[in-house]
Amino acid sequence: MTLAAPAKSGLPLVAIVGRPNVGKSSLFNRIVGRRQAIVEEEAGTTRDRHYGEAAWHGLTFAVVDTGGLMGEAVSGPYATPISEQVGQALEEADAIFFVLDVQTGVLPLDHDVAALLRQASQPVYLVLNKADNAALEAETGEFFRLGLGEPQTVSALHGLGVGDLLDRVVERLPQAPARDDTVSCRLAIVGRPNVGKSSLVNAMLQEERMIVAAEPGTTRDAVDTALEMDGKKIVLVDTAGIRRPGRLGRGVERAAVTRARRAIGRADVVAVVLDASQDIVAQDMHILGAALEAARGLILVLNKSDLIKDDAEVLDRRARQLRWRARFVPWAPAIWSSALTRRNLETLLRTAVTVAEERRRRIPTGKLNALLKRATIEHPPGAVHGRAVKIFYATQTGVEPPTFLLFVNYPDGVHFSYQRFLERRIRSEFGFEGAALRLILRKRGEPNG
Ligand code: GDP
């Protein structure tokens, strides 16, 4: 797959909602075109979400269709599947397409959706689908009465009216700003509810030595905050989202992961906050997984350490637990913090800047290959189908994340554990502390036959 799910990509997001059979997925396909959609199964449900990317008048944005299974029972903050679907759109989208069927007119379920959408803070576009001919285009009167503005007739099937709809939406979508080179680090502070994220952010922003300025984020209400430390500018991504108290109830877990993903998508470095006074739980691991997937910089923060500072046994247990649960990221620095006593807040910010710098580090090809040669002599990559696996050559092709391209005779023969070994050797020689690395194996024939 070449696309990252937009929730992870930080693009402005347009959500398509509406009752079943109005043509949401046809509209989705029409907008996304032939580009491949990403299907993301939602944790704990049989529903899936279709994500795609689209571009219109030079603006790239993400589209999501949460069509899924509408018959299934749902518990949680929203009473019915449809209100759950709309609720999620209200939570995460920058604009909403409310799709109706011009041929059937307004049905009771449409009224339910309209009632929820009238509370939306983002723009809502009334899309009257299946307007396949001029006679149907005229049938818009009753739709006006939904109180959601002027309807746009379209035919997703024939592509009619879709361009006009996109003209209207891109006008009001937030534009992704150009990368700001004066920023040393964009830091996302993520974690499950109640680990102390907002307390940490508030404590950081109260620090006198840090100069603070709010800046608009790329997406609706994603307000970022810039602060300065040691003369370096650090942007706390989605400060507003962190500081807003979380919702209560069953939807919280998913909402927390969704929000974390969005913040991670716009960050260089991710601080995954854990509650040091509690065991590490599955949801901590989900959020850690989301940070890893995105190949950002990673810092593990054990907050509320004040609660256990005098308890050597708990301290030791937590450290061992963390080493085990985070054994696949031995390169991520771990910091004991306390928002209450302000322990290590500056250390956390300094570490974030260092990790961001490590992500930009470039290794000269000569040095990299010298290391590779030593490593493969010391520990050869083994064999596949009776033939020795050979790594001919490596080069760093990119930064953020540092990406290494390795030319190999049998890429499939390079076992995952061997890639880990190479990664460890690269790190012990060159650093990259806190930075996720990417190794790409590419097939190449033997030199000289
Ligand atoms: P969030 O949901 O992750 O943003 O968590 P909050 O910042 O709202 O904190 C949840 C609770 O933990 C609140 O009651 C805080 O006062 C408390 N808390 C946060 N950080 C610390 C800390 O470092 N030490 C202690 N003892 N309590 C903390």
Side-chain angles (χ1 to χ4, degrees):
M1 257 183 283
T2 50
L3 282 168
K8 296 164 212 165
S9 70
L11 292 172
L13 182 67
V14 177
I16 302 178
V17 304
R19 64 175 167 79
N21 292 321
V22 289
K24 292 188 297 300
S25 59
S26 310
L27 181 65
F28 174 87
N29 291 333
R30 183 55 77 174
I31 294 171
V32 171
R34 252 172 296 150
R35 300 175 210 220
Q36 200 191 349
I38 290 192
V39 180
E40 194 177 77
E41 279 180 28
E42 277 190 59
T45 72
T46 49
R47 204 189 338 256
D48 53 26
R49 295 156 59 74
H50 293 242
Y51 278 110
E53 262 181 40
W56 192 252
H57 296 328
L59 179 73
T60 306
F61 57 97
V63 189
V64 60
D65 167 23
T66 319
L69 296 175
M70 302 305 297
E72 128 202 52
V74 163
S75 57
Y78 302 109
T80 61
I82 189 120
S83 58
E84 161 107 357
Q85 174 212 86
V86 176
Q88 177 138 15
L90 288 171
E91 209 164 89
E92 66 173 14
D94 299 292
I96 297 175
F97 287 167
F98 174 22
V99 185
L100 297 110
D101 183 337
V102 77
Q103 301 189 5
T104 62
V106 182
L107 299 190
L109 208 47
D110 295 323
H111 283 293
D112 297 348
V113 176
L116 291 165
L117 289 179
R118 278 194 291 269
Q119 300 159 23
S121 58
Q122 56 273 76
V124 174
Y125 299 85
L126 213 54
V127 184
L128 307 190
N129 191 29
K130 309 193 190 175
D132 300 338
N133 56 53
L136 288 164
E137 269 184 48
E139 300 287 320
T140 60
E142 65 171 315
F143 295 97
F144 269 101
R145 287 194 290 276
L146 290 171
L148 285 163
E150 192 181 336
Q152 170 73 52
T153 51
V154 305
S155 166
L157 195 65
H158 303 298
L160 302 170
V162 177
D164 295 337
L165 177 65
L166 294 180
D167 281 348
R168 284 174 62 193
V169 73
V170 295
E171 241 169 55
R172 293 178 64 186
L173 277 182
Q175 306 269 344
R179 199 185 157 81
D180 180 351
D181 289 334
T182 66
V183 174
S184 300
C185 173
R186 298 179 58 85
L187 176 64
I189 296 184
V190 302
R192 65 184 163 87
N194 283 320
V195 291
K197 298 179 297 298
S198 50
S199 307
L200 281 170
V201 169
N202 287 330
M204 284 174 190
L205 298 184
Q206 279 160 22
E207 199 75 42
E208 285 157 29
R209 272 164 294 177
M210 298 170 193
I211 302 160
V212 176
E215 25 178 86
T218 51
T219 50
R220 186 182 64 94
D221 77 20
V223 175
D224 302 338
T225 305
L227 51 85
E228 203 170 302
M229 225 193 50
D230 306 338
K232 292 190 167 137
K233 192 163 154 192
I234 302 167
V235 171
L236 299 180
V237 173
D238 190 21
T239 328
I242 303 167
R243 299 173 93 181
R244 183 182 315 130
R247 242 176 32 202
L248 292 176
R250 270 195 34 152
V252 167
E253 160 148 354
R254 199 196 51 213
V257 178
T258 301
R259 190 163 263 288
R261 286 217 156 114
R262 283 174 76 88
I264 290 165
R266 298 195 298 119
D268 304 312
V269 178
V270 180
V272 176
V273 184
L274 306 162
D275 184 335
S277 69
Q278 294 180 0
D279 283 332
I280 297 171
V281 298
Q283 200 193 350
D284 295 320
M285 299 304 291
H286 289 159
I287 289 175
L288 182 54
L292 253 189
E293 226 171 78
R296 297 311 204 257
L298 181 64
I299 301 173
L300 302 165
V301 179
L302 288 139
N303 191 40
K304 307 195 190 181
S305 61
D306 57 288
L307 293 176
I308 58 167
K309 68 178 191 307
D310 299 323
D311 193 334
E313 198 186 308
V314 178
L315 276 170
D316 183 54
R317 186 166 75 234
R318 194 68 64 238
R320 270 187 289 123
Q321 195 185 27
L322 184 68
R323 260 201 305 281
W324 171 247
R325 299 297 301 259
R327 64 192 178 284
F328 47 93
V329 287
W331 42 267
I335 294 173
W336 297 94
S337 77
S338 166
L340 198 72
T341 67
R342 301 174 163 271
R343 179 185 182 196
N344 278 340
L345 297 190
E346 293 198 0
T347 307
L348 171 55
L349 291 169
R350 284 202 182 95
T351 307
V353 170
T354 312
V355 169
E357 283 164 1
E358 290 294 298
R359 291 187 81 229
R360 292 192 280 267
R361 176 195 283 277
R362 276 182 196 278
I363 306 305
T365 302
K367 284 191 173 177
L368 183 65
N369 283 284
L371 167 81
L372 193 68
K373 195 166 179 185
R374 283 200 306 279
T376 50
I377 287 170
E378 176 194 321
H379 181 7
V384 60
H385 308 310
R387 290 163 188 265
V389 174
K390 289 181 193 158
I391 302 172
F392 301 119
Y393 178 76
T395 182
Q396 182 176 354
T397 54
V399 294
E400 298 185 316
T403 303
F404 300 90
L405 184 60
L406 281 67
F407 291 96
V408 185
N409 57 350
Y410 300 114
D412 295 341
V414 184
H415 196 263
F416 185 63
S417 61
Y418 195 78
Q419 293 184 38
R420 280 277 168 82
F421 159 74
L422 290 178
E423 186 178 329
R424 273 199 308 277
R425 292 301 307 265
I426 290 174
R427 289 180 185 282
S428 65
E429 182 102 356
F430 303 117
F432 292 114
E433 193 191 15
L437 305 185
R438 272 200 180 127
L439 299 190
I440 300 170
L441 302 173
R442 187 158 297 164
K443 185 170 173 61
R444 209 190 77 177
E446 302 271 345
N448 311 319

